[in-house]
Amino acid sequence: MLNKLVPRQSVGTIYDIDADHLWSFGIRGIITDLDNTLVGARDPHATPELIEWLARMQKIGFKVVIVSNNHKLRVSTFAEPLGMPFIYRAKKPTNASFTKAMRLLGTNARQTAVIGDQMLTDVLGGNRMGLYTILVQPISRQDEGVFTRVNRLIEKWAIARMKK
């Protein structure tokens, strides 16, 4: 079970991801978390740097969808100005939201990467579906909610167990 929490790749931020490598690996669609992955949990809009990154992904040929466990207003306020498709209240790590996202992207599991900041939602859900998982460091831990803080404690325990 603990091996399902191990990402294929771990980076500092989305900007550290080698997009050309992903493309050469056959990845064509990206499922990304929102809070603490693309922006801080309290940041309502994309930064200029993020807008540039998304444009680069699109130029390379990637399709990108946001999949978030957060509520509709939070996710739509962020995604709609960017013209990005999104899934809210995703209930990650369940399979349904990842399956729906791949349908939106027009990809299968081998062609899809998941980017997120949590092992128990993004990585576990992606690994269970056979997706290419990328774990990023959270942008702003001080803004995290109660459930995320509990998840972080479980992640810490799991990491300690994996090191044994």
Side-chain angles (χ1 to χ4, degrees):
M1 171 62 178
L2 289 180
N3 64 332
K4 293 288 186 194
L5 297 176
V6 178
R8 293 279 297 269
Q9 186 179 359
S10 187
V11 295
T13 73
I14 59 167
Y15 310 111
D16 299 322
I17 296 169
D18 185 341
D20 295 323
H21 170 74
L22 286 182
W23 188 264
S24 69
F25 193 70
I27 303 297
R28 299 297 181 261
I30 296 173
I31 297 170
T32 183
D33 180 44
L34 171 57
D35 295 323
N36 276 334
T37 298
L38 297 180
V39 294
R42 298 194 193 279
D43 296 331
H45 303 291
T47 64
E49 184 180 27
L50 177 59
I51 292 169
E52 187 178 305
W53 183 83
L54 290 167
R56 181 170 183 269
M57 295 298 107
Q58 187 175 23
K59 184 176 180 183
I60 291 170
F62 291 107
K63 294 179 184 174
V64 182
V65 63
I66 294 172
V67 176
S68 174
N69 284 345
N70 216 324
H71 57 84
K72 184 178 183 179
L73 182 61
R74 163 63 177 143
V75 184
S76 65
T77 297
F78 181 88
E80 286 176 353
L82 299 171
M84 288 185 70
F86 62 90
I87 298 169
Y88 63 94
R89 287 199 176 125
K91 299 180 182 172
K92 294 180 286 181
T94 64
N95 292 354
S97 59
F98 293 101
T99 301
K100 183 176 180 182
M102 285 189 287
R103 237 181 287 126
L104 288 171
L105 294 169
T107 59
N108 61 39
R110 283 179 281 114
Q111 299 171 308
T112 309
V114 177
I115 304 170
D117 68 301
Q118 291 189 60
M119 293 167 62
L120 290 175
T121 57
D122 309 303
V123 174
L124 177 60
N127 282 344
R128 287 176 56 219
M129 297 284 297
L131 311 180
Y132 187 97
T133 52
I134 303 171
L135 181 68
V136 299
Q137 294 301 306
I139 293 171
S140 180
R141 281 193 177 204
Q142 66 270 19
D143 293 336
E144 293 179 335
V146 173
F147 291 114
T148 303
R149 290 174 195 245
V150 170
N151 279 353
R152 297 275 185 228
L153 290 173
I154 297 168
E155 288 176 2
K156 191 175 180 180
W157 173 85
I159 291 168
R161 298 280 296 166
M162 285 187 255
K163 288 182 179 177
K164 289 184 177 182

